[in-house]
Amino acid sequence: MNLIESRFSELLPSISVMRLAPNDQLLNALLSHSHTVLQLSTREGFEVKVSEAIHKGKPVIATNCGGIPLQVQHGKNGFLVEVGDWKAAAGHLLELWTDEEKYKRMSEYARVSVSDEVGTVGNALAWCFLAEKWANNGGVKPEGRWVNDLARKEAGIPYGEGENRLPRP
């Protein structure tokens, strides 16, 4: 705020800065009514808010760190920038505000590019599969496979060609 007040005071009427308590309904409202979402962490795990924004069709500009590159497909449903590269983040933000065709294309792709494995259904599947295995069979040996892959294979519904899922190593 000090930087904005001292160097960019003409922008103050257009900027709202809020520090809000964690609240799913508020986050949903903010994401639903946003144009573009920024997640400019210096380090991060798998950020569910990124997947939620993408699922709502909001292009995300995020840092290329942690689990974020598993979610943001650079140039398709958002942009990845290096940590601290505010010029690249600002450039992509300007691009999404001024190129309506690009924004529309990225928004449409974003809506269909999120894997179910990162949402409630995918998490429930993984946890139920693991609970059943531990309760009845003494555990599971994934041998490098993902839990969702194991669960869907056992259910007779393996991932199909072209189905959205997180990138596998």
Side-chain angles (χ1 to χ4, degrees):
M1 286 305 298
N2 288 339
L3 178 65
I4 294 168
E5 289 169 354
S6 65
R7 293 188 54 203
F8 306 102
S9 60
E10 70 278 8
L11 298 177
L12 279 173
S14 301
I15 297 174
S16 295
V17 176
M18 296 175 267
R19 188 170 299 270
L20 306 168
N23 180 305
D24 289 342
Q25 292 81 12
L26 183 58
L27 177 62
N28 181 51
L30 289 171
L31 291 176
S32 294
H33 297 286
S34 65
H35 179 273
T36 305
V37 173
L38 283 77
Q39 179 71 38
L40 302 176
S41 306
T42 56
R43 59 182 173 191
E44 193 68 68
F46 188 91
E47 182 51 59
V48 174
K49 290 183 291 273
V50 169
S51 289
E52 290 172 349
I54 294 169
H55 184 72
K56 289 182 177 297
K58 309 301 178 177
V60 174
I61 300 169
T63 46
N64 188 15
C65 68
I68 291 174
L70 294 173
Q71 301 161 274
V72 176
Q73 298 173 40
H74 185 76
K76 293 182 177 180
N77 63 8
F79 294 105
L80 293 169
V81 300
E82 294 308 313
V83 172
D85 191 352
W86 62 269
K87 287 183 181 181
H92 291 307
L93 188 57
L94 182 62
E95 204 177 336
L96 290 169
W97 275 99
T98 58
D99 187 337
E100 291 181 31
E101 186 56 41
K102 178 177 276 188
Y103 179 82
K104 182 179 176 188
R105 186 174 59 250
M106 291 180 85
S107 293
E108 288 172 1
Y109 183 79
R111 280 186 190 86
V112 299
S113 68
V114 177
S115 168
D116 284 341
E117 48 189 339
V118 302
T120 303
V121 173
N123 282 321
L125 171 67
W127 283 112
C128 288
F129 174 78
L130 291 172
E132 189 277 330
K133 290 297 178 192
W134 285 323
N136 297 315
N137 299 324
V140 62
K141 293 180 180 155
E143 299 171 348
R145 295 171 292 173
W146 288 42
V147 174
N148 283 71
D149 295 343
L150 296 170
R152 286 185 58 157
K153 182 178 180 185
E154 187 167 302
I157 310 169
Y159 282 100
E161 184 70 31
E163 188 174 352
N164 286 332
R165 62 184 181 156
L166 295 172
R168 304 308 198 247

